[in-house]
Amino acid sequence: MVTHGGGEKLEEPLVIRPTSETIIGWAYSKWIQSYRDLPLLINQWNSVVRWELRTKLFLRTLEFFWQEGHTAHATYDEAEFETRQMLDIYTDFAVNEAAIPVIPGRKSQSERFAGADATYSIEAMMGDGKALQSGTSHNLGQNFAKAFEIKYLDQGGALQHCWTTSWGLSTRFIGAIIMVHGDDQGLILPPRLAPHQVVIVPIFKTDEEKALVFEASKKIREQLVKANIRVKVDEREGQSPGFKFNDWEMRGVPLRIEIGPKDVAKGSVVLARRDKPGKEGKSFVSQEGIAESVEKELATIQKALFDRALAFRDQHTHEPKNLQEFGVAVEQGFAKSRWCGDAKCEEQIKESTKATLRCIPMEQPGGSGACIFCGKPSNDVAIFGKAY
Ligand SMILES: [Zn+2]
């Protein structure tokens, strides 16, 4: 029970349990005896408390929700494979579900998870050019296995320490979705993640028109539901269509269907894209085969959001030639620079520019060059930026 934090009495006490590695490590040491028990994987969803002096909604919060996976293996290679596989899964989720381009990479020694042999992360650029570490995967080597006595008998009957991993993605990612795609009107949700992919707003004046438009809306809804599209008809009374348009725009619904008496007569509807405000994002489609048209439009929006975020990141990523250019680059976004691998050099970069080494991308250009800061030989290109 935590009653005080930062030297002050908390308004509400926090009831917490120790960090998962201790609980998982203890349990694994009981559950694992033989090579036959391996590999072992547990995934849990739970709340985490982190002491943050300056909180920021979704990005840095006193309490957050996440999934965390923990595995134990017989060999280093298996553990490394698992660690990298999870990095790939997080990358796939970010790119293909959330439409957020991310850079998968390795963390420098100073940014590694305490007790890990290697930490990998996916790094995303927010709409203000700042970096957000959006998911991590750790190869814990035998460090935790030794601390918690997680051992197994190998096939030759010898007692060995396991190789373990852990990895997680949190509600922080919701912050990434908001900050990468959103605009001054509010949220813009990628269709693949949106709880409501489509909202139908009926437009009418008289009761007669209302009956007509509601009937047509119902039929459209049925067609969309049949095609597994998440759709809502806004039948609220006493609110104008304009109010409803704004309301759903704020909530980030990717696609709006407008339907009035004239549309019913013509057998068509208006599709309005959230990501393209105004006339530019509007089109007329037939009510016949509406599910197909909507599916196509949602796929277009999903791709457009990714393309826009990628173009933004590219525009705000520079390859500085000298330190002065480096300073300008990290003010605007990412600097892609050669780095010598020395922790002291990394620390000096941080002190003089306030930029941190986000990751050493898995994709490397190869060759060698001089470290942007100290000029020593460098084989790796790293991504630097200011981070949340
Ligand atoms: Zn250096």
Side-chain angles (χ1 to χ4, degrees), residues 338-342 344-346 348-349 370-378:
R338 288 206 170 267
W339 173 62
C340 59
D342 181 3
K344 266 187 205 152
C345 175
E346 183 187 355
Q348 283 170 349
I349 293 172
C371 173
I372 185 78
F373 193 79
C374 68
K376 280 187 208 152
S378 147

Side-chain angles (χ1 to χ4, degrees), residues 203-275:
I203 303 165
F204 56 88
K205 285 203 180 84
T206 64
D207 281 350
E208 220 169 86
E209 287 177 351
K210 181 181 165 182
L212 204 67
V213 169
F214 270 36
E215 180 60 25
S217 299
K218 207 179 125 194
K219 279 190 189 144
I220 293 167
R221 183 186 169 274
E222 276 165 12
Q223 288 188 60
L224 297 185
V225 168
K226 230 183 248 171
N228 287 322
I229 295 163
R230 298 186 289 277
V231 54
K232 182 175 175 70
V233 184
D234 189 346
E235 293 184 333
R236 281 180 291 179
E237 299 276 351
Q239 252 119 21
S240 70
F243 175 91
K244 290 177 179 178
F245 292 177
N246 287 329
D247 196 39
W248 292 113
E249 273 175 16
M250 187 177 70
R251 289 158 199 273
V253 176
L255 194 63
R256 179 175 73 230
I257 295 180
E258 303 169 11
I259 178 162
K262 276 184 196 161
D263 302 303
V264 175
K266 282 189 285 186
S268 65
V269 294
V270 176
L271 298 185
R273 283 170 61 167
R274 172 62 181 94
D275 64 316

Side-chain angles (χ1 to χ4, degrees), residues 136-165:
T136 47
S137 188
H138 314 288
N139 184 340
L140 304 174
Q142 291 181 309
N143 305 324
F144 284 86
K146 283 178 179 162
F148 291 96
E149 310 244 300
I150 313 169
K151 293 183 208 164
Y152 73 99
L153 276 177
D154 69 15
Q155 295 188 49
L159 204 55
Q160 306 267 10
H161 281 106
C162 290
W163 300 83
T164 66
T165 80

Side-chain angles (χ1 to χ4, degrees), residues 37-49:
D37 300 326
L38 297 173
L40 185 59
L41 183 154
I42 279 188
N43 183 70
Q44 59 175 3
W45 292 83
N46 57 278
S47 285
V48 177
V49 171

Side-chain angles (χ1 to χ4, degrees), residues 72-185:
H73 306 267
T75 65
Y76 166 84
D77 284 349
E78 274 182 41
E80 181 64 12
F81 181 84
E82 179 72 33
T83 311
R84 299 279 286 272
Q85 178 173 269
M86 283 317 298
L87 186 75
D88 289 346
I89 288 171
Y90 291 149
T91 303
D92 176 69
F93 169 72
V95 169
N96 295 316
E97 304 297 322
I100 296 178
V102 291
I103 302 171
R106 181 163 48 88
K107 286 287 192 186
S108 66
Q109 199 176 347
S110 65
E111 298 272 337
R112 248 179 234 164
F113 177 60
D117 276 3
T119 288
Y120 300 92
S121 72
I122 50 171
E123 300 285 329
M125 184 186 284
M126 302 296 98
D128 59 0
K130 278 194 184 172
L132 189 77
Q133 179 180 300
S134 309
T136 47
S137 188
H138 314 288
N139 184 340
L140 304 174
Q142 291 181 309
N143 305 324
F144 284 86
K146 283 178 179 162
F148 291 96
E149 310 244 300
I150 313 169
K151 293 183 208 164
Y152 73 99
L153 276 177
D154 69 15
Q155 295 188 49
L159 204 55
Q160 306 267 10
H161 281 106
C162 290
W163 300 83
T164 66
T165 80
S166 70
W167 23 272
L169 187 125
S170 79
T171 41
R172 166 174 252 217
F173 205 88
I174 297 172
I177 292 166
I178 295 168
M179 292 188 71
V180 168
H181 300 310
D183 62 13
D184 290 347
Q185 259 30 64

